[in-house]
Every structure is written in structure tokens, then in C-alpha cells.
Amino acid sequence: MPDHRMDTNAKRFKSPLRKLVNFFEESRNQWKAKYKQTKSNVKRLENKNRYLKNRNAQLNQHVKHLESELNQIKLREKQLQQLVKKKKR
């Protein structure tokens, strides 16, 4: 590890190193917390998106099933009406 006190090209800070270390550590910890929160939000939104897509597919399938039942009921109703008309004659 190079000794920056001897390196003339190293950046010089006006503040003492003990203060800078605390500042940089706190900054890093804030960045990490922000990153973890963002990652958690992304994960939650991905899960919600996946759930909603699955739910949408289930509802579409249920709607198709109900439409099929409705068509069968309408067909049966039509057949019954024809039978009633035949009996009236």
C-alpha cells in the first residue's frame, strides 16, 4: 500500500484524516442503505408485477369460461323456446 504522505502527486485534504474517515464512512453507509432500499423496492415491484400478470391471466381464463357457460345457457334457452313454440301449435 503506497504511503500518500510521501507521494507528492497525492491529493491533499485540508481536513484532518480522522474527520474525513468518519465522513466517508457515513457517506458510504448512506449510499448502501439507499441502495438496499431501492433494491428492496425493485424486488417488491417485480413480485407485484408477476402476481398481477398471473392474476390477469386467471381472470381472463375465468371470463372465457363464463362466456362459454353463457353461450351454452343462451343456446339451451333458444332450444327450449323452440320446444314451447312447437307445443303451442
Side-chain angles (χ1 to χ4, degrees):
M1 185 147 124
D3 186 6
H4 293 294
R5 287 176 282 170
M6 299 284 192
D7 189 0
T8 57
N9 294 330
K11 185 173 182 180
R12 301 283 179 190
F13 295 105
K14 293 181 181 180
S15 300
L17 288 179
R18 63 184 167 76
K19 286 186 176 181
L20 290 174
V21 168
N22 289 335
F23 172 77
F24 291 138
E25 184 178 17
E26 187 176 327
S27 175
R28 181 202 62 192
N29 291 341
Q30 288 173 354
W31 178 86
K32 279 186 175 183
K34 184 178 176 182
Y35 170 77
K36 283 184 179 181
Q37 182 66 37
T38 302
K39 187 176 178 181
S40 173
N41 286 343
V42 167
K43 180 78 168 175
R44 183 179 47 80
L45 291 172
E46 285 174 345
N47 288 341
K48 187 174 183 179
N49 188 31
R50 185 172 50 252
Y51 166 78
L52 291 174
K53 282 183 179 180
N54 289 338
R55 183 67 177 148
N56 191 26
Q58 289 174 350
L59 289 174
N60 284 338
Q61 185 178 6
H62 188 64
V63 165
K64 287 179 183 178
H65 175 72
L66 291 176
E67 286 174 344
S68 172
E69 280 186 28
L70 179 63
N71 288 337
Q72 289 176 358
I73 290 171
K74 284 182 178 180
L75 182 62
R76 181 69 180 142
E77 180 185 20
K78 201 174 204 180
Q79 290 171 349
L80 290 173
Q81 285 177 352
Q82 288 176 355
L83 281 174
V84 168
K85 284 182 182 178
K86 284 183 182 178
K87 287 189 177 183
K88 284 186 178 180
R89 288 184 190 175

